Amino acid sequence: MAERIPEPVPAVALSGIRKSYGSVEVLHGVSLAAHEGEVISILGSSGSGKSTLLRCVNMLEVPNDGTVAIQGEEIRIDRRAGRPPRPSDAAQVQRLRSRAAMVFQSFNLWSHLTILENIIEAPVHVQGRDRKDCIAEGEALLERVGIAAKRNFYPAHLSGGQQQRAAIARALAMHPAIMLFDEPTSALDPELVGEVLKVMRDLAAEGRTMLVVTHEMAFARDVSTRTVFLHKGVIEEEGSSADVFARPHSERFRQFLARA
Ligand code: ADP
Ligand code: MG
């Protein structure tokens, strides 16, 4: 008798996610799982719900319905009638948030901290790790993303591309199980986009699990394993990146590609 091989637990599993702002529902029941080592690009027009979906993963937005599980652990949500949904257990959210580290379009570095201080802040103060170890590791991460010389500078003294690479190093310093990127190159001058994409390509190549909201079609097609196209809060097309770019099923996705 053939033994059943258990399905691996996804790094992130979203199921039936609905999100409303006021009376307007912007995600209409989205399900998406990222397995370890997968790089998933999330494409879609402005306003289609990409950021909202990504923010639901780490509870920056709390979905009105549906479940979010990080490495098999479901985030508990209090959905009592008559008030906005909120996580039931703040400590659980904090713990799971450091497993799903976010990189934002606008970098969001702390302006009053140096680059190295930015990087060790959460590992030391949230994760309670040894400061010396975190400094050593932080320096190695800055070396990796090519900005070791900037360790004692404040964010304002770095270019956008350097700031975004610092933000990626900061995310890596948490030892996340999954990295979330929300249009990480959209705020950059065109000549700085490449240096950030190169770091992201390297992360993909080393088998990191990543959810990437992006307008970089070449990255989606050539780097990500899977591509999801969101349209008005619904997944309109999804498949291996090679397939969806070569043979898109959805007419809307075809039009989107033609405009990109
Ligand atoms: P995308 O990232 O694909 O551009 P968003 O997830 O940011 O889309 O937004 C989806 C929809 O939700 C848009 O119509 C946007 O205006 C609306 N929206 C996003 N954030 C908020 C908010 N905090 N309050 C009210 N509406 C919002
Ligand atoms: Mg967005």
Side-chain angles (χ1 to χ4, degrees):
M1 209 163 49
E3 253 185 78
R4 280 196 58 181
I5 300 166
E7 285 275 306
V9 175
V12 169
L14 303 170
S15 180
I17 297 294
R18 292 179 178 274
K19 177 65 190 173
S20 303
Y21 293 111
S23 58
V24 182
E25 188 175 83
V26 301
L27 293 176
H28 307 295
V30 176
S31 299
L32 179 66
H35 286 90
E36 212 185 303
E38 272 196 301
V39 178
I40 301 180
S41 290
I42 300 171
L43 310 180
S45 309
S46 175
S48 57
K50 306 179 299 296
S51 295
T52 303
L53 183 65
L54 207 64
R55 292 165 66 84
C56 283
V57 173
N58 61 6
M59 294 291 133
L60 292 175
E61 301 292 349
V62 181
N64 299 85
D65 198 9
T67 60
V68 178
I70 312 275
Q71 294 178 306
E73 181 177 344
E74 186 178 319
I75 303 178
R76 291 184 293 281
I77 298 173
D78 178 353
R79 292 193 177 111
R80 261 174 277 181
R83 65 177 200 204
R86 63 178 187 205
S88 311
D89 178 353
Q92 185 197 31
V93 169
Q94 192 171 63
R95 189 160 47 73
L96 293 182
R97 237 178 226 170
S98 59
R99 289 198 227 158
M102 177 87 105
V103 174
F104 299 89
Q105 178 175 343
S106 49
F107 329 132
N108 292 16
L109 294 167
W110 290 292
S111 59
H112 63 293
L113 298 180
T114 66
I115 295 303
L116 186 62
E117 286 167 349
N118 262 279
I119 284 166
I120 67 168
E121 173 72 19
V124 171
H125 294 109
V126 178
Q127 296 179 322
R129 278 154 51 194
D130 179 72
R131 189 181 172 85
K132 269 212 184 82
D133 292 351
C134 292
I135 290 175
E137 194 187 303
E139 285 172 343
L141 286 170
L142 288 176
E143 187 83 48
R144 253 198 75 176
V145 300
I147 52 170
K150 303 291 183 190
R151 49 170 284 175
N152 294 324
F153 285 57
Y154 287 91
H157 296 121
L158 272 63
S159 73
Q162 291 168 336
Q163 288 188 55
Q164 194 58 300
R165 286 184 282 150
I168 293 172
R170 181 177 63 173
L172 286 167
M174 316 252 284
H175 300 173
I178 179 155
M179 299 182 74
L180 312 172
F181 293 86
D182 192 359
E183 298 198 34
T185 61
S186 294
L188 299 175
D189 292 333
E191 71 272 20
L192 303 179
V193 168
E195 64 192 54
V196 171
L197 287 179
K198 178 180 183 311
V199 170
M200 293 174 63
R201 252 189 230 111
D202 291 346
L203 294 175
E206 68 183 40
R208 299 251 171 203
T209 314
M210 299 157 66
L211 280 185
V212 186
V213 172
T214 186
H215 292 291
E216 293 290 332
M217 293 302 137
F219 180 92
R221 190 186 58 227
D222 305 333
V223 181
S224 61
T225 46
R226 206 137 56 89
T227 292
V228 165
F229 173 65
L230 208 57
H231 177 76
K232 293 189 176 165
V234 173
I235 292 183
E236 167 91 17
E237 175 105 29
E238 177 182 11
S240 84
S241 299
D243 281 352
V244 300
F245 278 91
R247 290 172 293 280
H249 293 285
S250 143
E251 182 53 37
R252 284 204 189 92
F253 184 51
R254 257 180 245 144
Q255 287 168 6
F256 176 84
L257 287 177
R259 280 195 307 270

